[in-house]
């Protein structure tokens, strides 16, 4: 090794755009009329800073300054932001969960997953994601992309490396790839719609008894639809345009809470007699021409407030 | 029971579209629920103008809870 000389000079800078050791910056400009709040959780006490304009407020909108403390370790704390805030800086090694306002819709937030590569505490990430999901290893529970489609990575690897994942929400993110061979049996939501780069046999979801919604519209999944039977909490199942999904639609009659079924443009067959009898909360039913439906059944369903579609690409 | 067969069917409840409007349109059949309002068009432009005029939008169903 060549000789080198390292020195350290005291000095300060006031350039907010420079990276800070151990910190990450997330962009969070206010959009629309949704409240400009951020939910954060950390594995230790820490401080969050506003970068640039704006300030933290209390719930009534009064300023509380440019920094805010995180003190109740393990809790999800709501941070209220003034309208002018566009970015926050926070500890990137102890971050447990991060999310913009989402109870009444989503506000804007961009999170670079590359910043979280060495965060062994991270469990939940919601927001506009960029970077690779494969930076997140070990303890992830929730991964939800709420805006943009620039996130990348191998979903199968992510699921293998994060065995406790319960929510995957990556709609239209075609940079996400992989053939899924195993999922957590506690999975509740799975959404990879409009992405044919994710594939797999749906039988891996057979033991997911807590499933609430599953959406791979315009995807590349295969297997028998009976994998989604006996899911008493399942409300929405969308398999539109997955040509290699087959099986008897009547197996879904055991999903008594279901509100939406979309198996249009699939290879699913059978008749809906038992579904009409058991699934009384249905609000939408989209089926391929291979499924038998009578005029009487159409009248019964539409009369209950259920819109029916035959062979349509909804 | 109403049957919609045009390429651009619109079914909505209040301001919410039951399914999204796409430029590709549909080739199948739609039977609107009795408590839904509906319209159908031959062209995307007409359908889009209807949606915009009524202020309709489509929202993906969400079942999440506030939590971690």
């Amino acid at each position: 090794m060549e000789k080198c000389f390292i020195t350290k000079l005291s000095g300060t800078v006031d350039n907010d755009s420079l990276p800070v050791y151990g910190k990450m910056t997330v962009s969070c400009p206010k959009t629309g009329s949704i409240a400009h709040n951020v939910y954060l959780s950390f594995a230790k006490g820490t401080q969050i800073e506003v970068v640039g304009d704006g300030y933290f407020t209390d719930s009534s909108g009064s300023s509380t300054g440019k920094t805010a403390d995180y003190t109740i370790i393990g809790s999800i704390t709501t941070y209220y932001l003034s309208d002018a805030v566009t970015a926050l800086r926070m500890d990137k090694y102890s971050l447990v969960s991060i999310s913009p306002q989402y109870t009444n819709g989503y506000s804007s937030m961009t999170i670079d997953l590359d910043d979280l590569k060495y965060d062994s505490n991270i469990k939940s990430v919601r927001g506009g994601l960029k970077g690779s999901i494969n930076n997140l290893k070990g303890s992830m529970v929730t991964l939800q992309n709420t805006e943009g489609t620039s996130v990348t990575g191998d979903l199968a690897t992510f699921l293998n490396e994060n065995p406790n994942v319960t929510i995957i929400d990556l709609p239209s993110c075609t940079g996400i790839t992989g053939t899924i061979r195993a999922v957590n049996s506690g999975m509740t939501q799975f959404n990879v719609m409009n992405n044919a780069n994710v594939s797999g046999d749906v039988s891996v979801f057979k033991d997911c008894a807590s499933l609430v919604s599953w959406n791979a519209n315009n995807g590349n999944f295969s297997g028998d639809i009976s994998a989604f039977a006996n899911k008493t909490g399942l409300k929405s199942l969308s398999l539109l345009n997955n040509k290699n999904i087959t099986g008897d639609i009547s197996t879904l009659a055991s999903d008594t809470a279901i509100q939406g079924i979309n198996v249009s443009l699939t290879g699913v067959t059978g008749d809906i007699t038992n579904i009409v009898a058991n699934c009384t909360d249905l609000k939408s039913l989209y089926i391929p021409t291979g499924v038998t439906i009578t005029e009487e059944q159409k009248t019964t369903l539409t009369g209950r407030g259920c819109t029916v579609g035959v062979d349509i690409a909804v | 029971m109403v049957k919609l067969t045009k390429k651009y069917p619109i079914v909505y409840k209040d301001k919410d579209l039951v399914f999204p409007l796409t430029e590709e349109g549909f080739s199948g059949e739609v039977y609107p629920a009795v408590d839904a309002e509906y319209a159908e068009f031959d062209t995307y432009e007409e359908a889009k103008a209807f949606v915009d005029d009524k202020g309709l939008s489509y929202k993906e169903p969400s079942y999440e809870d506030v939590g971690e």
Side-chain angles (χ1 to χ4, degrees):
Chain A
M1 181 179 172
E2 297 293 324
K3 289 180 180 177
C4 64
F5 174 72
I6 299 172
T7 188
K8 191 173 176 182
L9 300 173
S10 59
T12 59
V13 293
D14 60 359
N15 183 348
D16 270 345
S17 67
L18 292 175
V20 176
Y21 178 75
K23 303 281 186 175
M24 62 184 281
T25 301
V26 296
S27 163
C28 52
K30 182 175 170 65
T31 55
S33 58
I34 297 169
H36 199 197
N37 304 336
V38 175
Y39 304 107
L40 295 170
S41 171
F42 294 87
K44 67 173 188 178
T46 185
Q47 192 173 67
I48 304 105
E49 306 162 58
V50 169
V51 180
D53 293 336
Y55 45 81
F56 290 100
T57 76
D58 59 22
S59 57
S60 64
S62 299
S63 173
T64 57
K66 302 283 281 187
T67 62
D69 292 329
Y70 177 83
T71 55
I72 307 172
I73 297 166
S75 72
I76 296 172
T77 302
T78 305
Y79 294 91
Y80 301 94
L81 308 176
S82 69
D83 287 357
V85 172
T86 58
L88 295 175
R89 183 182 292 134
M90 63 194 73
D91 188 283
K92 68 178 181 180
Y93 299 127
S94 64
L95 184 65
V96 173
S97 71
I98 179 169
S99 171
Q101 166 87 28
Y102 61 94
T103 48
N104 296 308
Y106 291 93
S107 58
S108 180
M109 177 180 271
T110 303
I111 303 163
D112 189 342
L113 300 181
D114 295 348
D115 283 333
L116 298 171
K117 186 170 185 176
Y118 300 104
D119 181 1
S120 59
N121 299 291
I122 191 71
K123 288 185 177 177
S124 176
V125 181
R126 285 185 167 99
L129 309 181
K130 64 177 186 177
S132 171
I133 63 172
N134 298 123
N135 287 310
L136 309 171
K137 295 178 181 175
S139 55
M140 282 294 292
V141 174
T142 299
L143 181 62
Q144 192 163 33
N145 187 55
T146 57
E147 56 188 284
T149 56
S150 59
V151 65
T152 61
D154 186 304
L155 184 57
T157 302
F158 173 84
L159 291 169
N160 288 338
E161 292 180 340
N162 295 276
N164 297 316
V165 168
T166 61
I167 297 177
I168 289 290
D169 190 8
L170 299 166
S172 304
C173 298
T174 53
I176 299 293
T177 61
T179 301
I180 294 172
R181 303 190 192 285
V183 297
N184 173 21
S185 61
M187 181 80 72
T188 59
Q189 295 180 49
F190 185 81
N191 180 3
V192 292
M193 67 183 288
N194 299 326
N195 182 8
N197 297 323
V198 175
S199 60
D201 190 312
V202 292
S203 63
V204 300
F205 294 91
K206 190 170 186 175
D207 294 329
C208 298
S210 304
L211 210 55
V212 175
S213 66
W214 198 96
N215 187 340
N217 281 351
N218 301 306
N220 195 18
F221 281 83
S222 59
D224 195 300
I225 197 171
S226 63
F228 297 103
N230 302 309
K231 309 279 191 279
T232 52
L234 185 61
K235 292 185 177 178
S236 176
L237 176 63
S238 299
L239 286 153
L240 166 72
N241 200 25
N242 284 259
K243 307 288 188 196
N244 296 316
I245 295 290
T246 57
D248 188 341
I249 194 171
S250 68
T251 58
L252 302 182
S254 54
D255 302 334
T256 51
I258 201 155
Q259 297 174 6
I261 297 174
N262 187 351
V263 291
S264 198
L265 307 180
T266 68
V268 171
T269 56
D271 76 72
I272 65 163
T273 302
N274 292 335
I275 288 177
V276 173
N278 294 351
C279 305
T280 53
D281 291 335
L282 261 184
K283 298 297 178 196
S284 61
L285 174 66
Y286 307 122
I287 54 177
T289 48
V291 170
T292 303
I293 182 169
T294 66
E295 293 301 303
E296 184 181 352
Q297 287 167 336
K298 289 173 190 170
T299 303
T300 300
L301 288 169
T302 56
R304 279 183 196 161
C306 175
T307 294
V308 177
V310 179
D311 221 23
I312 61 172
V314 173
Chain B
M1 180 178 61
V2 176
K3 177 180 176 179
L4 308 180
T5 56
K6 290 186 178 179
K7 189 173 181 181
Y8 298 99
I10 305 289
V11 181
Y12 59 102
K13 293 182 181 181
D14 299 322
K15 295 290 184 183
D16 297 329
L17 290 167
V18 172
F19 47 79
L21 171 67
T22 64
E23 287 191 61
E24 293 77 24
F26 303 144
S27 58
E29 302 166 356
V30 176
Y31 303 86
V34 290
D35 59 349
E37 296 179 270
Y38 54 86
E40 58 179 337
F41 302 92
D42 292 316
T43 67
Y44 174 74
E45 289 71 23
E46 289 175 291
K48 183 72 168 56
F50 180 86
V51 167
D52 291 345
D53 184 54
K54 293 275 187 185
L56 307 177
S57 63
Y58 177 72
K59 298 183 185 75
E60 285 287 336
S62 176
Y63 305 105
E64 70 191 345
D65 298 315
V66 174
E68 191 168 66

